């Protein structure tokens, strides 16, 4: 290089420019990671677990929660339909749909039981804690809780997906599942809704969705929710949404 000063100077300039660009690139990545780390982490987690969620007993799994159970009937329809029964019927169909696509699924309940020993309303906290404990397992990639809605105005109807207000991944999952439900020609699909008060949403690390499948206070929708074919459509829509979300 002592004999080729001009060439060495040019090479040094190019090398210096390259190093400078690399350092700027690293700085941008670090800033982006600080600002959006939770989003990046959630995305990487979803991508990395999509395959392993199908892999076997020790793989990551999806939790399906059938709300209520046993003496806790939940909402009661205008014609007497019990929320706990409809929740379980849809949850079992969703389980079958997901397993048929190779997913590993765990249920909070598969029959008409409660998850705590007491009979007092205050004992329900134990029920919720047991449901959440399964969802907070490090191998849980997504949890879906099946419920039915009710409202004083009997004309209100439609499916609606709730997610935790401060969960970007929860919001993403809710959007995809809500869109999937709209594609199976169901009744009116409402907008997804954020919530920061529900115990199940607040106490879990992975994305958790509460799917309100319909309003038992609406006579027409109550009748549909009791039909096996309509329950199948709901399960199909939710399953398709989950699959789409995990493949994003």
């Amino acid at each position: 290089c002592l004999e080729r000063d001009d060439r060495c100077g040019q090479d040094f300039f190019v090398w210096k420019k390259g190093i400078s660009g690399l350092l700027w690139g690293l700085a941008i990545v670090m800033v982006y990671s600080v600002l959006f780390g939770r989003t990046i982490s959630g995305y990487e987690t979803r991508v990395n677990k999509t395959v392993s969620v199908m892999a076997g007993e020790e793989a990551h799994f999806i939790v399906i929660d059938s709300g209520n159970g046993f003496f806790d009937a939940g909402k009661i329809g205008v014609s007497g339909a019990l929320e706990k029964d409809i929740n379980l019927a849809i949850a079992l169909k969703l389980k079958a749909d997901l397993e048929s696509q190779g997913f590993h699924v765990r249920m909070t309940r598969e029959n008409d039981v409660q998850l705590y020993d007491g009979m007092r309303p205050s004992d329900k906290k134990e029920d919720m804690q047991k449901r959440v404990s399964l969802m907070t397992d490090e191998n849980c990639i997504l949890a879906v809780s099946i419920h039915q809605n009710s409202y004083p105005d009997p004309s209100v109807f439609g499916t609606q997906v709730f997610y935790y207000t401060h969960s970007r991944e929860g919001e993403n999952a809710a959007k995809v599942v809500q869109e999937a439900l709209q594609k199976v020609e169901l009744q009116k699909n409402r907008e997804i809704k954020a919530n920061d008060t529900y115990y199940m949403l607040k106490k879990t690390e992975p994305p958790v969705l509460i799917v309100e499948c319909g309003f038992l206070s609406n006579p027409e929708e109550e009748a549909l929710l009791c039909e096996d074919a309509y329950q199948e459509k709901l399960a199909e829509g939710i399953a398709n949404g989950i699959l789409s979300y995990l493949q994003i």
Side-chain angles (χ1 to χ4, degrees):
C1 280
L2 292 175
E3 297 177 357
R4 294 182 288 115
D5 292 339
D6 292 341
R7 178 63 181 274
C8 285
Q10 291 175 2
D11 289 346
F12 177 75
F13 175 76
V14 172
W15 174 82
K16 184 177 180 181
K17 187 176 180 181
I19 292 297
S20 177
L22 177 61
L23 291 174
W24 272 109
L26 289 173
I28 291 171
V29 170
M30 289 177 67
V31 171
Y32 191 88
S33 297
V34 170
L35 293 176
F36 303 102
R38 186 169 183 179
T39 301
I40 294 173
S41 174
Y43 174 78
E44 289 177 346
T45 297
R46 185 169 73 244
V47 171
N48 293 337
K49 292 180 179 179
T50 301
V51 175
S52 61
V53 77
M54 302 180 180
E57 186 175 353
E58 300 302 323
H60 298 285
F61 56 85
I62 296 169
V63 170
I64 300 175
D65 173 50
S66 175
N68 311 105
F70 197 50
F71 78 90
D72 177 15
K75 304 291 192 304
I76 299 177
V78 290
S79 297
L82 301 182
E83 179 185 3
K84 66 172 185 176
D85 296 334
I86 298 173
N87 291 347
L88 182 59
I90 295 172
L92 290 173
K93 290 176 172 62
L94 176 58
K95 176 178 184 285
D97 284 348
L98 290 175
E99 289 182 337
S100 70
Q101 297 182 61
F103 287 98
H104 187 43
V105 176
R106 293 188 186 179
M107 303 284 287
T108 56
R109 69 182 182 98
E110 296 191 64
N111 43 51
D112 188 19
V113 297
Q114 62 188 28
L115 276 67
Y116 58 104
D117 298 326
M119 297 292 287
R120 300 170 302 175
S122 59
D123 294 327
K124 185 164 177 64
K125 183 177 180 180
E126 181 183 343
D127 176 276
M128 296 301 296
Q129 289 173 336
K130 288 185 177 181
R131 294 173 195 262
V132 166
S133 67
L134 184 57
M135 298 175 186
T136 53
D137 186 295
E138 63 179 5
N139 287 326
C140 174
I141 186 174
L142 177 70
V144 179
S145 184
I146 304 298
H147 286 268
Q148 311 306 313
N149 222 329
S150 183
Y151 195 70
D153 182 354
S155 67
V156 176
F157 64 96
T159 60
Q160 188 167 37
V161 182
F162 288 76
Y163 66 95
Y164 184 46
T165 305
H166 307 294
S167 171
R168 181 71 61 84
E169 284 301 310
E171 182 179 7
N172 291 339
K175 287 179 180 178
V176 176
V177 171
Q178 189 83 54
E179 289 171 1
L181 283 167
Q182 291 173 344
K183 294 178 181 178
V184 293
E185 299 180 356
L186 300 176
Q187 292 281 343
K188 174 183 176 182
N189 279 267
R190 310 174 70 82
E191 296 294 325
I192 62 172
K193 191 169 183 178
N195 182 281
D196 61 3
T197 61
Y198 292 161
Y199 182 88
M200 188 172 289
L201 297 179
K202 294 192 300 180
K203 298 294 184 179
T204 51
E205 181 63 27
V208 177
L209 304 180
I210 296 178
V211 182
E212 298 280 0
C213 298
F215 285 77
L216 292 177
S217 49
N218 180 287
E220 292 78 13
E221 193 158 55
E222 179 197 22
L224 281 173
L225 289 166
C226 292
E227 293 179 2
D228 188 74
Y230 189 72
Q231 293 170 0
E232 288 281 5
K233 282 189 173 183
L234 285 164
E236 176 188 352
I238 298 169
N240 289 341
I242 291 173
L243 181 59
S244 296
Y245 165 70
L246 290 175
Q247 291 181 338
I248 289 177

